[in-house]
Amino acid sequence: MRIPVIAGNWKMNKTISEALDLVNDLKSRLTNVDDVTIIVCPTFLCIKSVADALGNSNIHVGAQNMFWETSGAYTAEVSGEMLLEAGAEYVIIGHSERRQYFGETNETVNKKVKKALALGLKPIVCVGEMLEDREAGNTEKVVDDHLTNGLAGVSADEMKNVIVAYEPVWAIGTGKTATPEQAQEVHAFIRNRIAELWNEETAEAVVIQYGGSMKPGNVKELLAQKDIDGGLIGGAALKADSFEELAKFNK
Ligand code: PGA
């Protein structure tokens, strides 16, 4: 049984005080949700304050990126060790915006994933095709490339701590959601590839989230699909009322 995971990727939004307003509101709205893993991923700057405010509540904290070295002359980078001490339990790795604007590659994704796992931080690894890939019929090829190279060398045991987020780039922030059928098709492909690359048991255990314009109006349909186990949500995670509806999708 996979427990659904609803995660908010706040991207470059919210000052510390705005972040605290949102999580304090979410904390009271979501106290009774015990059948969904809820995660918020603020900017690095807000992680400590948000984690402190959430304390032992049922809302977990993730970062949006990390570097694979522990410390040193890497101006502006943040290490996994720093994230853990600040209170993060999860870390998004290889988001398409990192790949598009900041030169993230499968190789850098792989180094970050391995370091996160070694530290006990749970990586949320993003995979997904661009519109031109889909139009050229290359969706599975691109997703497979992200999956096999981004997760190369990760053991079956470690895979149980990995979340995969399928995010078609053409659906991110565009209001265009993949249809539940389109998303399910790729999720099933990912789960089959996990079974081939590791084993059946691992494939059954790994949570595969969908991301890309997920909102209260489409969450139920998407999560009703057999292989869609949660959501990585941008825009709709920035407001307490819509994130509450998302986290309570099964109520
Ligand atoms: P969106 O972003 O929900 O605003 O489309 C999703 C994401 O980029 O993780």
Side-chain angles (χ1 to χ4, degrees):
M1 252 302 277
R2 297 182 295 269
I3 297 171
V5 180
I6 294 289
N9 171 13
W10 292 3
K11 309 193 180 183
M12 196 179 75
N13 290 292
K14 308 225 176 264
T15 62
I16 296 174
S17 58
E18 289 166 347
L20 287 175
D21 285 347
L22 177 56
V23 289
N24 285 324
D25 194 353
L26 288 175
K27 204 169 145 179
S28 56
R29 288 170 184 257
L30 300 177
T31 52
N32 295 326
V33 179
D34 54 9
D35 50 358
V36 174
T37 302
I38 307 164
I39 308 168
V40 292
C41 303
T43 65
F44 287 141
L45 201 60
C46 298
I47 286 178
K48 170 91 173 106
S49 325
V50 163
D52 286 349
L54 290 172
N56 299 325
S57 76
N58 57 344
I59 306 178
H60 304 264
V61 181
Q64 300 171 19
N65 184 25
M66 61 171 268
F67 192 49
W68 58 80
E69 295 290 349
T70 300
S71 62
Y74 304 104
T75 300
E77 290 296 317
V78 172
S79 71
E81 287 86 345
M82 293 169 185
L83 295 177
L84 269 178
E85 196 193 284
E89 292 174 68
Y90 296 83
V91 57
I92 299 171
I93 296 180
H95 188 278
S96 62
E97 286 148 18
R98 301 295 315 166
R99 295 181 193 255
Q100 272 182 288
Y101 310 136
F102 302 100
E104 195 87 63
T105 63
N106 290 330
E107 289 66 42
T108 60
V109 167
N110 189 244
K111 286 187 181 182
K112 292 177 181 188
V113 167
K114 284 183 176 157
K115 183 60 186 279
L117 288 167
L119 291 172
L121 268 172
K122 297 182 192 130
I124 299 176
V125 183
C126 302
V127 303
E129 81 287 1
M130 316 258 276
L131 185 58
E132 56 262 40
D133 301 321
R134 178 162 281 265
E135 286 174 343
N138 288 333
T139 298
E140 291 189 353
K141 186 166 166 277
V142 171
V143 168
D144 192 34
D145 182 48
H146 288 169
L147 197 70
T148 49
N149 294 310
L151 295 173
V154 172
S155 71
D157 224 30
E158 288 174 320
M159 272 306 284
K160 291 180 183 144
N161 290 320
V162 171
I163 294 175
V164 175
Y166 168 57
E167 300 207 302
V169 180
W170 48 272
I172 295 178
T174 57
K176 264 193 234 163
T177 323
T179 63
E181 295 72 28
Q182 277 176 323
Q184 165 58 27
E185 203 183 344
V186 183
H187 280 240
F189 170 76
I190 293 171
R191 202 173 303 286
N192 285 334
R193 286 298 288 141
I194 295 174
E196 286 167 7
L197 293 163
W198 290 277
N199 54 51
E200 274 304 327
E201 194 205 333
T202 305
E204 279 312 305
V206 171
V207 166
I208 309 175
Q209 295 177 306
Y210 168 80
S213 300
M214 189 182 262
K215 45 187 180 276
N218 59 28
V219 64
K220 276 192 173 47
E221 274 191 311
L222 284 160
L223 284 162
Q225 302 296 313
K226 180 170 164 283
D227 292 296
I228 304 185
D229 309 315
L232 182 56
I233 299 126
L238 295 173
K239 291 220 171 70
D241 54 357
S242 50
F243 195 66
E244 177 185 9
E245 283 191 64
L246 289 162
K248 292 182 177 170
F249 73 92
N250 57 1
K251 298 273 182 267

